[in-house]
Amino acid sequence: MPSRDTNGSVVSDEMYAQIQRRLLESGEWDRIYRMLELKLNESGWMDELHDHAKELARQMYPISVRKMTDSVSSKASSEVPENVKAEVTAKIRQYLDSQLEK
Amino acid sequence: MSYTTEAEEAGACPHLLSTFTDDGVRSDILQKYRTVVSWATSRSYESQRPAKKRKLSTPQCGSCGIALSRPFVCLHCSYSGCWSLSHIQGHLSEAGHHFCVDAKSGSIFCSECDDFVYDAIISDVYNSTTLALEEKYTSFQVAKKRREPFRPWTPNDKDTEALDGATSLPCIGRRGLLNLGQTCFLNVVLQSFLANPLLRNYFLSDKHNHRLCSRGKDCTCCEMDTLFSEVYSGNEAPFGPTTFLSTTWRASSELSGYAQQDAHECFISALNQIHATSRGSTKLSCICIVHSTFDGLLQSDVKCKKCGNVTTATDPMLDISLELKGKIGEIGRNNTLASCLRRFTQPEELGATEYSCDKCGRCPASKRLSIRKLPPVLSFQFKRFEYKSADRSSAQKIEASVRFPASLNMAEYTTLVMKAQEGEREKGQKTEGSYPSSDIGPQAMYEYDLFAVICHDGQIDNGHYTCFARYQDEWYYFDDDKVTHSSLGACLKSQAYMCFYVKRRLDYKPYVTPSYVVAREAEAIKEKEREREREAALTKEVDDALLEYVTVRRYLA
């Protein structure tokens, strides 16, 4: 089912899948991921989550992967610093632009 | 059978244990596991090297067809799939397969337990597979030598005999240290030493036994040995490091007296004393425990702005002191360890009066610091105390907080990476956020983990030192004699004065018998030879005496 991206243009599932595949095959995915990792660590996001997960696990009995992932994931996505989001989004956009030229 | 019950009691997955009882199935699963982990690890190394026309292998989800960024691979068949969309879980239940592996982390998921499970054998396979690949992808600058491969220690017959006769003790040592009168500055330094894995291993390996030391008095190494023995003795009551203190006073008079002292000065002074009292320590290229642990190399490159000529100088360093103030004395608001390190390694302009080029004479230049050699333990000091006058009577403390991470990657501050990035910039290639294509080795070789933090609260003259230290994965808070269980979060929120990081990978050479052991064995052989000669000489004397006696008797008869 076609969906609209933030610019309002139509992005089909097929197009998304193709871009995903190209990102991975070229290694660009891994490079962007690595950049994200470094920036998230420097902002303290990683340590914040690590501590939250650890202390949550300490209090949880019996410990459940599902409960842990739910709690940690929601905190993780809501706490990404704006500047990190902006920088990585820009990098992805840069890649997409280069692909659309082809 | 008894191993299985023990493991079950410890919380191991019963399904994995029962599956592993069949040797054939077990070896198939381990082989598949090894292949998946190998594939994922190699792929991540390959992806860091930008190459234009290369296509990295990218599996597709068996259910939705999308290219997998985080494949979960079934250990029973060729299916791999998405975790977040629950496709892999769907496959496991439909096909009746139990186990799948997260290719990136090597974690095994059991569909019956509906949980990730731990197994010691799997963990071993993961570690040995990833390490072997890491070694393969590490190339060196020197003489094209490959990295020394890791070999696990296997006890020989003598070792086995010794181990069979030995009693194992839990290797946990945490004791508070009594404040002997404003000595919290010493206590925090000692706690950072106790939490230091390399120092701990050295002294617990009996490398400097205070009962056998020939130095007798005022040996700081003996004091360290005593400290480790006391803390690992099993006695949990607080310990008073009185002899350590008096030895320190006698060695450094500036640290004596009952006034509050600077923990960083005490740290440096203690390192110098331990070095001085170590057997075999030398002035240059010393391999004593202090230098083996803390010694790094700082490089300074001065580039002439006119002709581009670069003068390089290297200096050894035991730790890194970081400014909190900028060039014009401003204190930033969002200080992080990374921003301090960037400031430390950023190019600094030198005026024409400060520099003289060999070719051009006096002219402006730019100077840049970088780390040439990373030490196994990296210590940072944040320069919080500003002394206005030489006699330390007036001073100010900079209270600004600095955020520091639990894990640190030092790559971008090393000479190797900085030079590679400069090279790429000159060629007009993008470097932001990516790694230079020239080989800088696996990231793991630049990674460090925080293990101790020294904090200072209050003013310069009536403040208090406390510290946080990590033992395995748990953090503890040390306030002189009071030790409490803490958390990573509490540690990272504290106002740090000094931070200690330990390298994730240690570099080692092929094993050679240490020179003192070779000398000792040669001496033992010489001693045996001398003994033989003495006995031979004695026997000869007896024979001669006997001969004389017999001759005399015959003569008299």
Side-chain angles (χ1 to χ4, degrees):
Chain A
M1 182 165 301
S3 55
R4 289 184 184 277
D5 73 359
T6 47
N7 288 342
S9 42
V10 177
V11 178
S12 67
D13 284 346
E14 212 180 272
M15 202 184 287
Y16 183 91
Q18 198 186 61
I19 293 172
Q20 165 99 334
R21 188 171 42 84
R22 280 199 218 159
L23 267 168
L24 283 164
E25 281 175 355
S26 64
E28 190 63 20
W29 176 286
D30 296 75
R31 285 188 287 276
I32 296 176
Y33 187 94
R34 182 76 191 133
M35 172 191 168
L36 178 61
E37 243 182 345
L38 284 171
K39 289 194 189 288
L40 284 175
N41 191 24
E42 202 193 315
S43 73
W45 178 91
M46 296 244 184
D47 292 334
E48 188 56 56
L49 276 178
H50 186 120
D51 184 51
H52 168 83
K54 183 103 176 246
E55 299 308 313
L56 184 68
R58 208 193 292 278
Q59 306 297 332
M60 198 187 281
Y61 192 83
I63 194 161
S64 143
V65 165
R66 240 163 267 285
K67 275 198 223 150
M68 287 289 296
T69 357
D70 288 343
S71 171
V72 176
S73 306
S74 63
K75 189 177 160 78
S77 33
S78 64
E79 288 187 6
V80 176
E82 283 309 314
N83 64 314
V84 176
K85 217 182 266 190
E87 283 176 57
V88 179
T89 313
K91 189 95 174 135
I92 298 172
R93 185 156 285 141
Q94 205 176 50
Y95 178 79
L96 292 177
D97 287 340
S98 76
Q99 290 303 297
L100 288 173
E101 281 158 21
K102 295 195 179 156
Chain B
M1 225 46 211
S2 71
Y3 161 74
T4 318
T5 333
E6 255 177 61
E8 269 183 53
E9 277 171 20
C13 165
H15 315 100
L16 195 61
L17 287 173
S18 72
T19 304
F20 276 4
T21 51
D22 179 330
D23 283 339
V25 173
R26 184 177 118 155
S27 101
D28 282 343
I29 288 186
L30 287 178
Q31 189 46 45
K32 176 89 195 265
Y33 181 83
R34 210 176 271 122
T35 308
V36 173
V37 170
S38 256
W39 169 84
T41 313
S42 307
R43 192 188 179 287
S44 84
Y45 285 124
E46 290 298 324
S47 71
Q48 295 297 334
R49 304 164 143 185
K52 300 288 164 174
K53 304 260 168 137
R54 176 235 17 232
K55 229 161 80 157
L56 291 166
S57 85
T58 305
Q60 283 177 296
C61 176
S63 304
C64 69
I66 202 160
L68 292 165
S69 57
R70 182 101 184 218
F72 274 70
V73 184
C74 179
L75 285 175
H76 308 264
C77 71
S78 60
Y79 178 96
S80 49
C82 319
W83 170 266
S84 50
L85 299 170
S86 296
H87 293 157
I88 180 74
Q89 293 94 316
H91 161 80
L92 291 177
S93 72
E94 278 160 28
H97 293 168
H98 286 334
F99 312 109
C100 68
V101 55
D102 167 27
K104 181 176 170 179
S105 68
S107 306
I108 294 210
F109 180 80
C110 170
S111 59
E112 293 294 307
C113 295
D114 191 29
D115 197 0
F116 286 92
V117 296
Y118 173 79
D119 182 87
I121 299 166
I122 292 281
S123 178
D124 272 345
V125 172
Y126 181 79
N127 289 333
S128 59
T129 309
T130 51
L131 185 59
L133 277 165
E134 194 191 286
E135 284 166 1
K136 181 180 144 197
Y137 279 93
T138 313
S139 55
F140 272 104
Q141 303 160 269
V142 178
K144 297 210 170 99
K145 271 200 212 151
R146 297 264 81 166
R147 175 171 159 183
E148 179 65 18
F150 172 76
R151 263 180 279 273
W153 176 76
T154 39
N156 59 27
D157 292 332
K158 220 170 81 171
D159 295 327
T160 315
E161 214 185 291
L163 284 171
D164 283 343
T167 334
S168 357
L169 297 169
C171 197
I172 306 171
R174 277 185 306 276
R175 286 177 80 173
L177 295 171
L178 294 167
N179 190 315
L180 306 168
Q182 296 268 56
T183 60
C184 54
F185 72 93
L186 174 67
N187 288 347
V188 290
V189 172
L190 297 183
Q191 291 294 2
S192 77
F193 287 166
L194 287 162
N196 185 320
L198 282 96
L199 290 180
R200 176 202 66 202
N201 291 359
Y202 181 84
F203 288 101
L204 288 183
S205 306
D206 212 32
K207 291 279 170 74
H208 189 108
N209 189 322
H210 65 274
R211 293 187 198 89
L212 303 175
C213 178
S214 53
R215 204 174 282 262
K217 215 168 81 96
D218 284 350
C219 175
T220 309
C221 267
C222 286
E223 295 303 328
M224 285 288 282
D225 187 54
T226 308
L227 179 71
F228 274 95
S229 304
E230 282 288 343
V231 169
Y232 282 87
S233 64
N235 180 351
E236 290 183 352
F239 168 67
T242 47
T243 49
F244 202 112
L245 185 65
S246 52
T247 305
T248 302
W249 282 349
R250 278 193 289 272
S252 321
S253 57
E254 66 270 17
L255 286 173
S256 65
Y258 280 104
Q260 180 69 274
Q261 305 289 345
D262 183 346
H264 179 254
E265 272 185 40
C266 175
F267 168 71
I268 296 292
S269 169
L271 291 188
N272 287 329
Q273 285 171 49
I274 297 169
H275 155 81
T277 55
S278 280
R279 175 187 51 199
S281 64
T282 54
K283 280 223 160 63
L284 296 169
S285 308
C286 180
I287 53 160
C288 76
I289 186 58
V290 165
H291 287 100
S292 307
T293 304
F294 295 95
D295 201 25
L297 209 57
L298 201 57
Q299 178 160 313
S300 108
D301 293 300
V302 183
K303 187 171 181 170
C304 172
K305 291 219 155 163
K306 239 194 233 171
C307 65
N309 182 41
V310 180
T311 323
T312 301
T314 56
D315 276 305
M317 63 178 206
L318 287 176
D319 74 335
I320 299 182
S321 292
L322 297 168
E323 294 284 352
L324 291 175
K325 285 183 156 184
K327 279 230 96 168
I328 44 174
E330 83 282 14
I331 302 167
R333 264 178 306 130
N334 290 319
N335 290 307
T336 63
L337 178 59
S339 66
C340 289
L341 278 169
R342 267 181 221 124
R343 187 188 293 138
F344 187 75
T345 55
Q346 78 191 2
E348 184 194 327
E349 302 300 314
L350 296 178
T353 47
E354 297 168 84
Y355 174 71
S356 175
C357 172
D358 293 335
K359 294 183 200 162
C360 321
R362 293 205 170 277
C363 58
S366 85
K367 171 174 152 178
R368 196 161 194 200
L369 293 176
S370 59
I371 301 179
R372 178 68 182 258
K373 174 179 170 273
L374 289 168
V377 171
L378 200 43
S379 318
F380 294 107
Q381 177 211 19
F382 299 109
K383 290 160 106 167
R384 291 191 178 281
F385 302 127
E386 290 184 302
Y387 296 102
K388 302 280 186 209
S389 57
D391 64 354
R392 308 280 187 101
S393 55
S394 64
Q396 249 192 336
K397 180 186 173 191
I398 302 174
E399 294 277 356
S401 68
V402 186
R403 192 184 54 233
F404 50 95
S407 302
L408 175 65
N409 185 312
M410 290 294 290
E412 64 188 280
Y413 316 108
T414 57
T415 314
L416 182 65
V417 173
M418 266 167 58
K419 285 267 173 323
Q421 280 175 342
E422 263 173 38
E424 298 233 325
R425 245 193 301 272
E426 271 158 32
K427 285 193 218 149
Q429 289 165 5
K430 288 180 291 184
T431 56
E432 167 68 66
S434 68
Y435 285 95
S437 44
S438 65
D439 210 338
I440 57 163
Q443 287 303 310
M445 304 206 67
Y446 297 91
E447 281 165 1
Y448 284 81
D449 296 306
L450 183 71
F451 69 88
V453 178
I454 290 179
C455 313
H456 182 269
D457 292 302
Q459 278 313 300
I460 286 197
D461 45 4
N462 65 350
H464 184 51
Y465 283 105
T466 54
C467 88
F468 286 90
R470 174 172 64 82
Y471 285 83
Q472 291 204 304
D473 279 335
E474 296 300 321
W475 283 90
Y476 296 86
Y477 181 60
F478 297 83
D479 181 357
D480 286 329
D481 52 309
K482 301 172 278 297
V483 182
T484 44
H485 182 234
S486 185
S487 70
L488 172 67
C491 172
L492 297 182
K493 285 189 184 73
S494 67
Q495 192 198 70
Y497 178 46
M498 295 178 71
C499 293
F500 300 90
Y501 289 84
V502 63
K503 203 161 186 272
R504 212 170 279 175
R505 292 286 185 268
L506 295 180
D507 311 314
Y508 40 89
K509 304 183 282 201
Y511 179 75
V512 279
T513 317
S515 55
Y516 74 90
V517 173
V518 171
R520 196 170 60 197
E521 280 168 8
E523 185 58 36
I525 292 172
K526 277 206 200 101
E527 186 57 40
K528 275 213 184 88
E529 192 53 46
R530 280 195 285 267
E531 190 60 43
R532 254 200 297 273
E533 279 168 17
R534 271 196 290 271
E535 274 195 41
L538 199 65
T539 316
K540 186 172 185 299
E541 262 182 51
V542 170
D543 284 348
D544 287 346
L546 207 57
L547 194 60
E548 215 181 286
Y549 175 74
V550 166
T551 314
V552 167
R553 283 227 44 194
R554 212 181 276 161
Y555 188 70
L556 292 174

